Amino acid sequence: MTITTIILAAGKGTRMRSQLPKILHKIANKPMLQHVYDMSRQLENNTIKIVYGHGAELVREKLKDLDATWTEQAEQLGTGHAVQQVIDQFSDADIVLILYGDVPLLKVTTVQKLLKDAGENTLGLLTVKLKNPTGYGRIVRNQNDKVAKIVEEKDATTVEKTINEVNTGIIAVNGRHLKKWLGQLTNNNTQGEYYLTDIIEMAVSDGVEVMTTQPESADEVLGVNNRVQLSQLERVYQAEQAIRLMEQGVTLIDPARFDLRGTVDKLGSDIEIDVNVVFEGNISLGNNVRIGQNTIIINSVIGDDVEILSNCVIENAQVGNGSRIGPFARLRPETVLADHVHIGNFVEIKKSTVAHGSKINHLSYVGDATVGSKVNIGAGTITCNYDGANKFRTIIEDGAFIGSDSQLVAPVTIGKNATIGAGSTITKDTPEDQLTLSRVKQISIAGWQRPIKKEK
Ligand code: UD1
Ligand code: CA
């Protein structure tokens, strides 16, 4: 079976009240259209066609990597008109699957079920029963309970409006039939639009049976028309991901206060995640990882037995086994920490490697540095890596001890087991095993008087 998926994505989305086309609005930091695309990518023997329109240039630019054929529907004259734009892009023998770009939570398992219903003499229609069907097309059945047609809300009689089985818009249909029916659509209706839904009645009169399937949950077919619905779908999506993680053995202290905007590619056992933790991009977590409150982790690899305390921001970093980070630490891109490294509060690390067992516990900036093993960097140490134009590296060899409040003016190398006296400004390489310090001698002035304010 060859499938052609047509994603309808030309609609305006007026109620979003946005400059951004609706389908570029994001669920879990990914455009809605990309969600639909990614889902349909999972189908075998499938080519994807996207009908776009509103915000055309921006849509094409933002989603240029999608492996799909793009067709512009310059004027949005209805869902039937949208499908007509790609009528010569599928063949008679194809099963054509119609999806909506603003229905982002549809599951591939539901689509696979629907596809089973589509054949030479049958059409698959995804419907759902809603407590409040207002706004949707209603599924009208005959006395034998077979689908007879779909009637849009605006064209429905009072009796038809009481029907609570509605059209999700998602259809799987034989290509040859679809071509024929698309040619017969008219816009004789209240909205003056070419309704794709009119093909249902045509199918029935051509003796093609309309088979209905329901999604596992009505959430799957919820569309987004405004930002309230966008936020609701975000929560549905996040809740599902949280459940999946918990099923895989992760403790989430509060699943409602955890957000995954990407994927967890590797997941160890016995991971505990406290409240307000956000993951973005691709995350890998080892065994026995604990993550404290309010921490954000982006595209990073966290080893085994790692403790990340609260309020950390970790991006494009690697954290080795047994390390402890935070609270209030920031690991910026290209930070690579080996095993048993301690990074404490108000420490920023950027583009640096820190070898086994080293500690940077308080108020430091370490950028463009290579830090050896068992190094101790005292509070308030700064690598001066930037002269306003160029960046330079600092090398701190194994076993070095950097006294508090030191500035290491790069390029500079601190030798093995060297000690730097507190408050030093180091501008030249320092020898191994020695104490180096740059400090004005301390003096005391006897008889000195502190200035006194004059009485007014
Ligand atoms: C449509 C269905 C309705 C169904 C509902 C489910 C029709 C006539 N009606 O109604 O039965 O209950 O979806 O949500 O099909 N689009 C285009 N080009 C157009 C018009 C629409 O690409 O010219 C796209 C939109 O971007 C959207 C989808 O098609 O992704 C549905 O369009 P929308 O206007 O939301 O359809 P409804 O009127 O809600
Ligand atoms: Ca409409």
Side-chain angles (χ1 to χ4, degrees):
M1 181 169 73
T2 310
I3 304 165
T4 295
T5 297
I6 301 171
I7 306 177
L8 303 187
K12 255 211 204 89
T14 314
R15 283 171 286 166
M16 296 299 285
R17 296 181 178 275
S18 176
Q19 303 286 353
L20 198 67
K22 177 162 75 175
I23 47 156
L24 290 182
H25 282 263
K26 292 172 177 176
I27 302 282
N29 205 29
K30 181 163 96 176
M32 287 195 277
L33 179 57
Q34 174 105 42
H35 279 269
V36 179
Y37 171 88
D38 287 348
M39 183 279 290
S40 48
R41 260 285 77 123
Q42 296 174 53
L43 299 168
E44 280 169 25
N45 297 323
N46 180 27
T47 54
I48 300 174
K49 319 284 177 189
I50 300 173
V51 180
Y52 70 110
H54 190 73
E57 277 138 55
L58 196 60
V59 173
R60 286 295 299 270
E61 185 203 310
K62 292 268 181 204
L63 297 173
K64 60 178 176 300
D65 294 336
L66 304 195
D67 179 16
T69 309
W70 295 82
T71 303
E72 187 168 358
Q73 183 195 20
E75 247 188 310
Q76 283 90 57
L77 304 178
T79 49
H81 181 257
V83 178
Q84 282 170 350
Q85 308 308 303
V86 292
I87 194 164
D88 50 12
Q89 293 182 33
F90 54 86
S91 60
D92 286 359
D94 286 1
I95 294 297
V96 179
L97 171 68
I98 312 284
L99 303 176
Y100 287 180
D102 57 357
V103 179
L105 303 188
L106 186 65
K107 293 213 160 68
V108 73
T109 45
T110 298
V111 171
Q112 281 157 342
K113 223 166 60 170
L114 180 77
L115 286 168
K116 287 205 182 91
D117 285 345
E120 270 289 330
N121 297 305
T122 53
L123 179 154
L125 175 65
L126 191 67
T127 71
V128 68
K129 286 194 174 152
L130 297 179
K131 278 206 188 78
N132 177 10
T134 311
Y136 288 90
R138 307 297 206 283
I139 307 296
V140 179
R141 290 178 182 269
N142 66 19
Q143 55 273 48
N144 301 323
D145 212 31
K146 297 279 183 206
V147 175
K149 62 174 180 175
I150 295 175
V151 56
E152 291 304 298
E153 164 96 16
K154 287 183 176 140
D155 303 293
T157 63
T158 319
V159 176
E160 284 167 342
K161 278 185 185 153
T162 65
I163 299 171
N164 71 347
E165 185 185 11
V166 307
N167 174 33
T168 63
I170 295 158
I171 296 173
V173 53
N174 164 273
R176 184 172 58 86
H177 289 311
L178 179 62
K179 281 183 188 174
K180 178 184 168 208
W181 300 329
L182 284 175
Q184 296 173 5
L185 293 180
T186 64
N187 62 353
N188 269 326
N189 51 56
T190 323
Q191 302 190 80
E193 285 181 8
Y194 294 91
Y195 291 165
L196 182 64
T197 43
D198 286 351
I199 70 168
I200 300 300
E201 205 172 357
M202 296 174 190
V204 173
S205 71
D206 281 353
V208 172
E209 188 181 353
V210 178
M211 322 248 294
T212 54
T213 311
Q214 282 73 41
E216 214 169 287
S217 152
D219 291 336
E220 281 185 54
V221 294
L222 293 178
V224 171
N225 292 311
N226 57 46
R227 296 188 200 232
V228 175
Q229 291 168 333
L230 185 70
S231 74
Q232 287 162 345
L233 263 58
E234 175 79 31
R235 289 333 304 163
V236 168
Y237 186 79
Q238 292 299 346
E240 277 176 10
Q241 298 196 113
I243 286 169
R244 212 175 311 134
L245 284 180
M246 290 187 289
E247 283 170 352
Q248 291 177 74
V250 176
T251 294
L252 291 175
I253 301 293
D254 181 358
R257 283 184 287 170
F258 167 76
D259 289 81
L260 172 56
R261 301 173 186 160
T263 56
V264 179
D265 298 334
K266 181 181 162 253
L267 194 64
S269 67
D270 297 294
I271 292 164
E272 185 180 304
I273 299 176
D274 211 328
V275 299
N276 296 330
V277 169
V278 179
F279 289 169
E280 284 185 20
N282 306 315
I283 304 295
S284 165
L285 299 171
N287 299 319
N288 298 310
V289 171
R290 289 182 56 199
I291 303 173
Q293 304 93 330
N294 311 320
T295 282
I296 300 169
I297 304 180
I298 306 163
N299 292 320
S300 293
V301 177
I302 311 296
D304 295 336
D305 306 305
V306 169
E307 191 169 14
I308 298 168
L309 301 168
S310 57
N311 300 294
C312 292
V313 179
I314 298 175
E315 180 174 7
N316 290 328
Q318 288 177 39
V319 177
N321 300 334
S323 292
R324 196 184 67 213
I325 314 298
F328 298 99
R330 180 166 183 214
L331 305 184
R332 289 175 52 203
E334 295 181 56
T335 292
V336 178
L337 308 181
D339 297 349
H340 300 284
V341 167
H342 289 185
I343 304 296
N345 38 226
F346 309 107
V347 172
E348 174 182 346
I349 315 267
K350 186 215 79 171
K351 210 174 185 176
S352 295
T353 59
V354 181
H356 183 275
S358 290
K359 296 176 182 171
I360 312 170
N361 272 330
H362 326 271
L363 300 154
S364 289
Y365 172 61
V366 174
D368 302 306
T370 304
V371 178
S373 66
K374 304 260 177 183
V375 166
N376 194 318
I377 296 185
T381 296
I382 307 289
T383 54
C384 308
N385 60 328
Y386 186 49
D387 64 6
N390 309 293
K391 300 248 167 81
F392 300 99
R393 291 200 74 81
T394 299
I395 296 167
I396 304 174
E397 294 180 347
D398 296 349
F401 182 101
I402 314 295
S404 298
D405 194 30
S406 291
Q407 302 99 54
L408 310 177
V409 182
V412 71
T413 297
I414 309 300
K416 202 169 162 191
N417 293 319
T419 301
I420 304 300
S424 295
T425 300
I426 301 296
T427 54
K428 289 187 295 226
D429 292 354
T430 71
E432 295 184 359
D433 299 308
Q434 294 182 24
L435 169 67
T436 301
L437 71 169
S438 75
R439 201 190 277 168
V440 194
K441 265 220 161 69
Q442 181 169 322
I443 55 168
S444 301
I445 300 172
W448 179 79
Q449 279 273 311
R450 191 186 290 171
I452 296 162
K453 272 192 188 158
K454 284 197 188 105
E455 298 280 347
K456 276 184 195 151

